[in-house]
Amino acid sequence: MSGTSVGRAIDYLVTQITALPECASPVIVSDGYTARRGAQMVWVGVTSADGTSDVKSDWAGIGAQREDETFDIPMLIEQSAGGGDVAVKVVRDRALVILDAINAKIRTDRSLGGALTLPGWAAVRDVRLTQTADPEEAGEGRFARVFFVVRCTARF
């Protein structure tokens, strides 16, 4: 394989996350933001706040023009429930179960199915949880969002 691993890594994550039992229907798993909305969503490869995604390459110093690349795949898990007495704990717990399943999947194959060539690896990093925070939001239901990145390194 030659060239960047970004596309192969995203494809692997979408396929594998979709197959997780924790992400069975009605969970919507999407490559980037989707036009279809649901109460349980996982977005793979969403853009960062400024709309950019950085891929850094450095000469590996061995072999025929080998390079090491490092990149983050931004991801978002969103769980919501309509108004009523549903506690934020319910949606938060759902979101964290999915995060744990994704993390466990990546930990079993840090090469992301070979998308990241040796000595490449992937890991869940920079996890940030936001949830229903004020009375106006609570009146519309409950939500929990888990933002994180899958940090990747690869050699090409």
Side-chain angles (χ1 to χ4, degrees):
M1 276 186 238
S2 62
T4 184
S5 301
V6 175
R8 291 185 301 273
I10 291 172
D11 291 346
Y12 173 88
L13 289 169
V14 170
T15 300
Q16 295 301 309
I17 293 168
T18 300
L20 290 171
E22 295 83 358
C23 292
S25 184
V27 177
I28 298 169
V29 178
S30 177
D31 185 344
Y33 286 109
T34 180
R36 187 169 60 125
R37 300 284 299 171
Q40 301 178 42
M41 306 194 65
V42 178
W43 288 299
V44 179
V46 296
T47 58
S48 62
D50 65 0
T52 63
S53 186
D54 296 326
V55 178
K56 297 175 183 158
S57 303
D58 293 307
W59 179 57
I62 58 173
Q65 305 301 318
R66 305 290 282 177
E67 293 184 38
D68 290 330
E69 70 176 340
T70 303
F71 57 92
D72 289 343
I73 300 172
M75 299 188 50
L76 170 59
I77 299 166
E78 182 176 280
Q79 301 288 297
S80 61
D85 294 330
V86 175
V88 74
K89 177 181 179 5
V90 172
V91 292
R92 181 182 60 240
D93 287 353
R94 283 187 209 150
L96 294 174
V97 163
I98 291 174
L99 175 66
D100 288 346
I102 292 169
N103 195 25
K105 182 66 180 175
I106 290 170
R107 292 175 80 184
T108 63
D109 182 3
R110 297 233 186 238
S111 76
L112 301 185
L116 306 176
T117 52
L118 290 175
W121 55 267
V124 170
R125 296 288 186 261
D126 303 336
V127 177
R128 189 175 87 242
L129 169 69
T130 63
Q131 57 190 21
T132 309
D134 61 46
E136 288 80 23
E137 290 175 346
E140 297 175 9
R142 303 292 185 268
F143 73 84
R145 294 181 183 105
V146 179
F147 298 88
F148 62 100
V149 299
V150 175
R151 182 147 306 134
C152 302
T153 65
R155 179 164 288 162
F156 65 92

